[in-house]
Amino acid sequence: MFKHLFKLIWNKRKQNFLFLSEILVSFMVIFAVFSLLVFYYLNYIKPNGIEYEKVWSIQYSNPLKTSNVDSLETFYENVRRTIKALPQVQELSFSVSNYPYSNSHSTTGFTYKGKELSPIDNYMIEDDYHKVLGMRLLSGRWFNKEDKIGKKRNVVINSTLKQAMFGDAEAVGAVVGADNEKETWKVIGVVADVKASGDFLPAGKGFYKRLDSGAFGWIGTILIKVSPDADAAFESRLHKLLARTIQNSNLEIQHLEDMRDSTNEDTIIPMIICITVAGFLIINVALGLFGVLWYNISQRRGEIGLRRALGATGSSVSFQLVSESLMLATLSIIVGSFFALQFPLLNVFNVPTAVYIIALLLSIAFIYLLVIFCSLYPGKQAAAIHPAIALHEE
Amino acid sequence: MIRLQNIEKVYRTDTVETLAINGISLDIAKGEFLSIMGPSGCGKSTLLNIMGLLDEPSKGSIKIADQDITRFSDQQLAKFRNQKLGFIFQSYHLINDLQVLDNVELPLLYRAGSAKERRELATEALAKVGLSNRIKHFPTQLSGGQRQRVAIARAIVGRPQIILADEPTGNLDSAMGNEIMDILINLNKNDGTTIVMVTHDENMAHKTHRLVRLFDGSQVQ
Ligand SMILES: Nc1ncnc2c1ncn2[C@@H]1O[C@H](COP(=O)(O)OP(=O)(O)OP(=O)(O)O)[C@@H](O)[C@H]1O
Ligand SMILES: [Mg+2]
């Protein structure tokens, strides 16, 4: 029976062309949407890597005219002491502006032992940065006072970068740097990934370097962890205190929790638009398929009546029609999968292969369900065709 | 072989009620070749469809091959049609998207058997109707007489005990019609197949064992 049906749809390939291309197009659209969703989902289920609740960022502009390192250091040490003296402030760290959810990036990249590693997010932080953000150290140690002495070039890397460079081997103690340059760093610790661009996007590779005091002139961000009782009243007191301490500066306090929400929205809103558009398309395709199948059956009443006369039961007629649709869908899926597989093979978007494979399987299942859904009712109608009447008509 | 008792068939549409068959009783013996004649619209096709279990009578009972099929389910009817009956229609009813051989194999698809067996039986049936050299053709590439011979091959491929033919020569010229008629007569003679044939052609009818005339749903002879 399978071979028989295959011959039938093969000989009718011209008439079936519309059906085939309709399924092919929807398959590709579904595949694209599923790839995106699977990509977001696989990122979403990974931990954030930080505790963003009650973390505030203070943005300031440096009001000092001097570029003298000592006077800058003295000034900002005073700022640090003043803020830390507040009982609500539990932890504090200066940082460059590319802290999590800031939407700001500073990237570097290099080739290490022949492996291209760019882009790498380049974070410049202080010894207490990980405490403010509740980052998890996986091995080695975080920066401490000792790293200040001399010109030690130590670095903490995140788990993604560690995997890319070392795989499962030990990273702590290794000396890393670009193949073609003399500049090298010694890895002292590995931290868990931080999804700095929101819950739905990957953490990327992270390279954490210790700020030196000369940087105070330009960094512009202070991150603080405040206690649960730090409220709006406290925030306005803090703002006034800051205004007095860093005079003539543009000051802004933001909550990482809010920044995370707005970063996530940047992903979610286009995603919803995408799903809605695809949804409408699928509804259209479903109606189209339904129409094509319905029309098909009205065109084939004679054939159906004949099959009934020759010994087909009602259910074998509807089984035949559903099978034909599924076989046609299979042809489209084979062609579609060929195109879909080019994405992982050519690594078009630098997305893990697993994303495409899962999306492909989901798309295949979706198309089959769609086709079954659209052909069940026409198939049932076909089963109800009265053989005598159908044969009489022609 | 076929016993019809007091068959009545009423077609109801929204506005009219047509009494297509009005109390027909008919006994057809095993191996008999019977022809049915009558003016257009007198119920010949309806009667044949009822014998072929394609249509249910409104009243009356049918016994075919010693089985009372009145209480048969859809599945049992389908199986019965498949194994015991062969149909030939005036308009051939071939599937144009399938080659001749595949058209002939059609009834065998609805019973057990291997693809090889189907192929052999279909080839054999086509040889019987003299179409061995056309098996790869599509129906649209054949003449009317050739198409009707394909339909006959399809009707006999499953070795049915009964063949029901509704104006098998109606669309053909007399030479072609005679050729078809000869095939049917041979089937009846050599294989003992019971044949019921509706025809408009007196000459054809007189070649059969018995002639039944219908008028307005009733048997008049
Ligand atoms: N499905 C149907 N619905 C309503 N009336 C029908 C239906 N099929 C047949 N009839 C009516 O039943 C009567 C008998 O029809 P039938 O097709 O049996 O005639 P026939 O003797 O085969 O005629 P012909 O020689 O033209 O083929 C006709 O009056 C026809 O209008
Ligand atoms: Mg008729």
Side-chain angles (χ1 to χ4, degrees):
Chain A
M1 192 52 135
F2 178 80
K3 213 175 143 194
H4 171 76
L5 293 183
F6 189 79
K7 271 187 208 161
L8 196 59
I9 62 172
W10 181 250
N11 292 340
K12 289 206 290 189
R13 57 192 177 281
K14 274 197 196 113
Q15 288 109 296
N16 287 326
F17 183 75
L18 193 71
F19 186 95
L20 286 168
S21 40
E22 199 166 358
I23 293 183
L24 178 61
V25 169
S26 35
F27 179 76
M28 294 314 292
V29 172
I30 291 293
F31 173 71
V33 172
F34 274 139
S35 297
L36 203 63
L37 292 183
V38 169
F39 176 67
Y40 287 156
Y41 178 74
L42 290 182
N43 290 322
Y44 180 75
I45 56 174
K46 284 184 189 147
N48 284 316
I50 55 167
E51 289 155 20
Y52 50 82
E53 294 93 353
K54 289 289 163 190
V55 177
W56 295 357
S57 79
I58 302 162
Q59 309 270 36
Y60 62 90
S61 54
N62 177 31
L64 302 187
K65 299 280 180 290
T66 176
S67 59
N68 179 296
V69 173
D70 285 337
S71 36
L72 279 168
E73 198 170 348
T74 314
F75 178 80
Y76 284 104
E77 279 311 317
N78 179 45
V79 173
R80 185 198 306 274
R81 264 199 308 280
T82 313
I83 302 172
K84 275 213 90 167
L86 298 168
Q88 285 89 343
V89 177
Q90 295 173 335
E91 300 291 347
L92 179 150
S93 169
F94 279 83
S95 164
V96 178
S97 63
N98 64 338
Y99 58 95
Y101 312 134
S102 63
N103 250 328
S104 141
H105 288 273
S106 156
T107 56
T108 168
F110 51 76
T111 312
Y112 174 74
K113 293 191 176 160
K115 265 179 275 179
E116 177 56 49
L117 294 172
S118 49
I120 299 173
D121 276 295
N122 195 19
Y123 298 99
M124 301 194 47
I125 43 61
E126 286 192 314
D127 299 354
D128 288 341
Y129 183 83
H130 69 299
K131 288 189 197 156
V132 177
L133 290 170
M135 288 165 70
R136 207 157 54 87
L137 197 64
L138 299 176
S139 65
R141 64 172 178 85
W142 193 253
F143 296 107
N144 59 32
K145 290 248 154 35
E146 285 166 35
D147 295 303
K148 194 178 176 181
I149 303 162
K151 278 277 169 208
K152 276 188 191 159
R153 301 166 63 83
N154 287 346
V155 69
V156 172
I157 59 177
N158 77 355
S159 172
T160 300
L161 181 56
K162 186 244 165 194
Q163 273 298 326
M165 290 176 119
F166 304 99
D168 293 330
E170 182 57 65
V172 174
V175 173
V176 303
D179 287 341
N180 55 353
E181 280 174 43
K182 297 236 157 51
E183 228 173 40
T184 54
W185 285 272
K186 187 172 153 226
V187 178
I188 57 164
V190 177
V191 280
D193 287 339
V194 175
K195 289 190 287 184
S197 303
D199 298 353
F200 301 100
L201 293 175
K205 308 180 189 90
F207 207 66
Y208 293 87
K209 288 186 268 189
R210 193 176 189 277
L211 275 173
D212 68 45
S213 20
F216 280 124
W218 56 269
I219 49 181
T221 305
I222 303 168
L223 294 176
I224 55 174
K225 174 88 176 180
V226 294
S227 57
D229 61 343
D231 51 12
F234 168 72
E235 188 176 331
S236 76
R237 262 187 292 140
L238 174 65
H239 201 277
K240 278 179 201 136
L241 175 66
L242 286 166
R244 279 198 306 277
T245 320
I246 319 177
Q247 281 169 14
N248 303 321
S249 169
N250 296 318
L251 286 162
E252 192 186 0
I253 300 177
Q254 282 176 292
H255 297 196
L256 250 64
E257 211 165 342
D258 300 338
M259 298 174 74
R260 168 178 169 266
D261 288 346
S262 86
T263 308
N264 283 342
E265 270 170 21
D266 291 348
T267 314
I268 292 171
I269 291 169
M271 179 158 71
I272 288 174
I273 293 172
C274 212
I275 292 174
T276 313
V277 171
F280 274 113
L281 188 96
I282 293 310
I283 290 171
N284 260 315
V285 166
L287 290 174
L289 288 186
F290 197 78
V292 167
L293 292 169
W294 192 270
Y295 176 74
N296 247 338
I297 283 162
S298 68
Q299 289 296 295
R300 292 171 67 184
R301 286 175 63 85
E303 179 197 332
I304 291 164
L306 174 76
R307 287 178 187 272
R308 297 281 275 128
L310 300 185
T313 58
S315 43
S316 78
V317 163
S318 60
F319 178 78
Q320 177 194 339
L321 290 164
V322 175
S323 309
E324 277 182 32
S325 311
L326 288 177
M327 284 165 73
L328 283 171
T330 306
L331 288 180
S332 295
I333 284 172
I334 290 170
V335 176
S337 299
F338 171 78
F339 289 119
L341 284 172
Q342 302 307 310
F343 286 88
L345 289 177
L346 304 174
N347 198 9
V348 183
F349 291 118
N350 196 24
V351 163
T353 304
V355 169
Y356 292 120
I357 300 300
I358 295 171
L360 188 66
L361 295 177
L362 286 174
S363 314
I364 292 174
F366 185 92
I367 291 292
Y368 277 136
L369 285 178
L370 184 78
V371 168
I372 290 177
F373 177 78
C374 293
S375 52
L376 270 185
Y377 187 68
K380 221 177 141 199
Q381 288 297 303
I385 288 177
H386 210 284
I389 294 172
L391 288 168
H392 196 93
E393 280 167 1
E394 283 186 29
Chain B
M1 196 65 180
I2 305 176
R3 167 167 290 173
L4 304 179
Q5 272 179 318
N6 294 318
I7 298 293
E8 258 180 42
K9 177 74 189 178
V10 183
Y11 285 113
R12 286 193 181 83
T13 57
D14 296 337
T15 48
V16 282
E17 229 174 63
T18 317
L19 187 60
I21 306 279
N22 186 10
I24 289 184
S25 298
L26 203 57
D27 241 322
I28 301 166
K30 191 167 194 288
E32 193 174 3
F33 193 161
L34 178 100
S35 50
I36 301 175
M37 292 192 75
S40 185
C42 69
K44 305 180 297 292
S45 296
T46 307
L47 186 65
L48 208 67
N49 284 341
I50 287 172
M51 283 188 220
L53 312 181
L54 296 176
D55 213 346
E56 276 177 32
S58 311
K59 260 190 209 152
S61 75
I62 313 168
K63 238 179 176 181
I64 300 183
D66 290 326
Q67 294 197 56
D68 187 352
I69 52 84
T70 323
R71 283 167 192 277
F72 270 23
S73 67
D74 177 64
Q75 218 155 357
Q76 285 171 306
L77 283 174
K79 193 173 168 198
F80 194 90
R81 280 198 294 264
N82 182 258
Q83 299 187 336
K84 300 274 198 295
L85 306 176
F87 291 93
I88 303 167
F89 308 94
Q90 178 178 0
S91 48
Y92 325 127
H93 282 299
L94 300 174
I95 298 176
N96 287 333
D97 296 304
L98 289 176
Q99 290 172 349
V100 163
L101 192 63
D102 295 314
N103 263 292
V104 175
E105 280 184 20
L106 213 53
L108 305 179
L109 285 172
Y110 299 102
R111 56 170 83 166
S114 69
K116 192 165 157 272
E117 268 174 324
R118 284 202 292 271
R119 185 117 308 203
E120 281 167 9
L121 286 171
T123 314
E124 205 179 299
L126 280 163
K128 265 193 189 164
V129 297
L131 274 182
S132 296
N133 54 345
R134 293 284 189 276
I135 59 171
K136 292 283 171 203
H137 283 59
F138 285 93
T140 46
Q141 301 165 330
L142 300 179
S143 73
Q146 288 169 331
R147 285 185 213 188
Q148 194 57 296
R149 282 190 278 162
V150 175
I152 294 175
R154 184 183 62 195
I156 63 175
V157 72
R159 308 227 162 98
Q161 298 168 7
I162 303 167
I163 284 180
L164 303 171
D166 195 349
E167 301 190 42
T169 60
N171 279 341
L172 306 174
D173 65 27
S174 59
M176 268 297 169
N178 284 327
E179 220 172 281
I180 297 296
M181 200 58 202
D182 289 343
I183 296 174
L184 291 177
I185 290 169
N186 276 331
L187 267 175
N188 174 255
K189 261 196 200 139
N190 304 338
D191 303 350
T193 312
T194 308
I195 303 181
V196 181
M197 175 181 78
V198 170
T199 182
H200 271 124
D201 189 328
E202 293 278 349
N203 293 331
M204 303 291 176
H206 285 119
K207 290 184 185 173
T208 65
H209 301 157
R210 178 153 67 114
L211 170 61
V212 167
R213 287 189 195 272
L214 298 189
F215 188 80
D216 256 0
S218 304
Q219 189 178 345
V220 292
Q221 181 191 325

